[in-house]
Amino acid sequence: MPKLDANPRVPGFSGLLDQYQTVKTDVDRAATRVLESGWYVLGKEVKGFEEEFAAYVEVSYCVGCASGTEAIALALMALDIGPGDEVITVAMTAVPTATGIAMTGATPVFVDIDDNYLMDPEVVLAKIGPRTKAILPVHLYGQTVAMQRLLEVAAKHGVPVIEDACQAHGAQHRGLKAGSMGVMGCFSFYPTKNLGCYGDGGAVTTNNKRLYQKLLMLRNYGQEIRYIHSSNGINSRLDEIQAAFLRVHLKYLDQWNGKRRQVADWYKKYLSGVVGIPVEHADNHHVYHLYVVETDQRDALMDYLTKNNVSCLIHYPIPVHLQKCFAALGYKQGDLPHTEKAARSILSLPMHPWLTHDQASYTCEIIHEFFKGSHGVAL
Ligand SMILES: Cc1ncc(COP(=O)(O)O)c(C=O)c1O
């Protein structure tokens, strides 16, 4: 029996094995280098990666940590944000955006999104109150929030902006890199991210030396120098071996983002007018962490693609404000109508740098076939 995925036209969702095969020699060498060094935590690989990633993001400093979730928590802790404080963010995101806020004891305040699934600065303006201690926009799917306007709004109220750039390595707004515009930027290096490692990892970027020094302590039990603990930190460190892997992948990031943009162009060409497709705002350089289409026939289309062996996912089916873990905040269905509508109609198609033209067109053919059949009509 041939394997179901033996058809070379059938795409995988995120191409992780292809990625490893591409960089195998360098990654294997990096692993050996670290294993044979006898130094596994906070050493020269982490330092080297932090410098290289800071240069890439075009900021002065980067602090590696254990995950994107903890990058968010650490950034908030660096601003002394905690119980009684509010952090404005979106519910149209991965739950860990809000988990990072909740870890500090602060309260997430969720606002609705614009047409690009992103935080709407005008809605934020109406939500800023006396307890607002930070604004946490999410550069969702690889596209930045309208940061210029958001920063204006925030500055008017003296509220710091921390970017959740976990899905936006290399994305730009008006020529500025994601993670360089707010007071801090938070990144995840979860394997499927545009820049991913082979396990968990994260980082906070900043231009502020005082915050940098505080973050260095906070990620390492608040330790200022060995056995002298100046504040109450956590253990959230990027492993040497993951940093060594990230140094390999970082060299390819722009090339891989370019390939994602090529795949997005193919989808755009074949799917325009068939389903709702992503819109790249003129101010932005989109890096297509995910390629998300929209249709009111979402569930049926997803079934049809799955039956034809095309893996697709929903990012995310339940918005954060309606998740059980945040029930105590008191949100209900109808509070964020744009977010809730999106959650019902979005679908993420296969997207990664190794996707071939043939695979992208196969996916598009299946989508065309679905809409031509008795399954429904396009938007
Ligand atoms: C937007 C966003 N924020 C935060 C996170 C959390 O990152 P991590 O999984 O590394 O903790 C993720 C990752 O899923 C994410 O996509």
Side-chain angles (χ1 to χ4, degrees):
M1 267 269 288
K3 273 176 58 196
L4 274 183
D5 61 357
N7 179 351
R9 299 195 74 209
V10 173
F13 192 80
S14 53
L16 285 185
L17 257 186
D18 297 301
Q19 175 178 258
Y20 174 57
Q21 292 303 336
T22 306
V23 289
K24 181 174 169 24
T25 310
D26 287 351
V27 162
D28 291 357
R29 204 175 280 145
T32 307
R33 182 173 78 232
V34 174
L35 293 173
E36 289 182 349
S37 75
W39 192 282
Y40 307 119
V41 176
L42 295 188
K44 60 183 184 210
E45 298 292 345
V46 168
K47 186 107 187 50
F49 172 69
E50 287 172 343
E51 284 168 11
E52 287 154 18
F53 194 58
Y56 180 84
V57 176
E58 296 170 12
V59 292
S60 307
Y61 309 104
C62 167
V63 177
C65 64
S67 68
T69 309
E70 289 187 349
I72 292 166
L74 286 165
L76 295 168
M77 287 165 75
L79 293 175
D80 296 318
I81 290 171
D85 298 333
E86 289 181 354
V87 177
I88 298 179
T89 191
V90 281
M92 183 76 189
T93 183
V95 169
T97 301
T99 310
I101 298 170
M103 278 171 74
T104 68
T107 305
V109 172
F110 300 111
V111 293
D112 216 347
I113 48 168
D114 64 15
D115 291 343
N116 273 332
Y117 313 114
L118 300 169
M119 175 180 269
D120 185 337
E122 309 313 322
V123 181
V124 171
L125 184 57
K127 272 282 174 190
I128 295 177
R131 290 168 64 198
T132 307
K133 291 291 152 43
I135 299 168
L136 188 72
V138 180
H139 304 316
L140 199 71
Y141 304 150
Q143 172 149 245
T144 50
V145 168
M147 285 300 287
Q148 197 183 39
R149 176 67 187 138
L150 184 67
L151 290 169
E152 268 169 31
V153 164
K156 214 166 117 197
H157 293 269
V159 180
V161 174
I162 299 170
E163 299 169 68
D164 180 340
C166 290
Q167 298 191 3
H169 316 70
Q172 292 173 36
H173 178 74
R174 298 189 166 216
L176 297 173
K177 289 259 175 72
S180 72
M181 294 173 272
V183 64
M184 283 172 276
C186 303
F187 289 88
S188 163
F189 304 124
Y190 183 77
T192 55
K193 302 299 186 202
N194 291 36
L195 178 64
C197 55
Y198 295 80
D200 279 309
V204 184
T205 49
T206 184
N207 282 311
N208 183 310
K209 188 167 182 186
R210 188 185 61 79
L211 291 173
Y212 167 63
Q213 287 166 336
K214 208 161 169 193
L215 288 162
L216 287 176
M217 285 193 283
L218 287 170
R219 72 158 173 200
N220 194 23
Y221 333 109
Q223 190 165 245
E224 192 169 349
I225 44 174
R226 187 175 265 196
Y227 306 134
I228 306 294
H229 296 253
S230 315
S231 57
N232 223 346
I234 55 175
N235 175 354
S236 182
R237 299 176 298 224
L238 180 64
D239 290 336
E240 280 286 279
I241 199 159
Q242 300 299 349
F245 296 148
L246 286 164
R247 296 178 83 180
V248 175
H249 285 190
L250 182 57
K251 295 198 183 93
Y252 294 88
L253 179 55
D254 283 340
Q255 186 187 326
W256 290 345
N257 281 343
K259 290 193 171 167
R260 287 174 182 273
R261 288 177 60 81
Q262 167 73 81
V263 175
D265 278 350
W266 293 331
Y267 279 144
K268 182 177 178 184
K269 187 166 154 203
Y270 300 130
L271 294 178
S272 295
V274 180
V275 285
I277 58 166
V279 176
E280 180 174 9
H281 192 278
D283 285 341
N284 289 345
H285 177 76
H286 197 319
V287 292
Y288 293 99
H289 171 57
L290 293 167
Y291 193 90
V292 176
V293 299
E294 210 176 325
T295 167
D296 52 10
Q297 312 286 319
R298 192 269 310 278
D299 291 344
L301 176 61
M302 188 173 184
D303 283 350
Y304 196 71
L305 283 163
T306 308
K307 265 189 213 121
N308 284 280
N309 305 316
V310 176
S311 34
C312 42
L313 294 166
I314 301 168
H315 297 91
Y316 298 90
I318 304 175
V320 186
H321 69 295
L322 300 177
Q323 293 282 353
K324 201 169 160 195
C325 59
F326 290 113
L329 298 178
Y331 288 86
K332 57 185 186 324
Q333 191 85 33
D335 283 345
L336 302 174
H338 298 293
T339 299
E340 291 160 24
K341 180 182 178 290
R344 286 191 297 271
S345 51
I346 48 172
L347 186 63
S348 308
L349 302 183
M351 168 53 82
H352 58 81
W354 292 271
L355 208 99
T356 63
H357 178 261
D358 217 20
Q359 291 171 333
S361 42
Y362 176 75
T363 301
C364 297
E365 281 164 28
I366 303 291
I367 295 174
H368 279 254
E369 200 177 282
F370 170 81
F371 284 110
K372 265 194 227 126
S374 56
H375 307 278
V377 288
L379 274 181

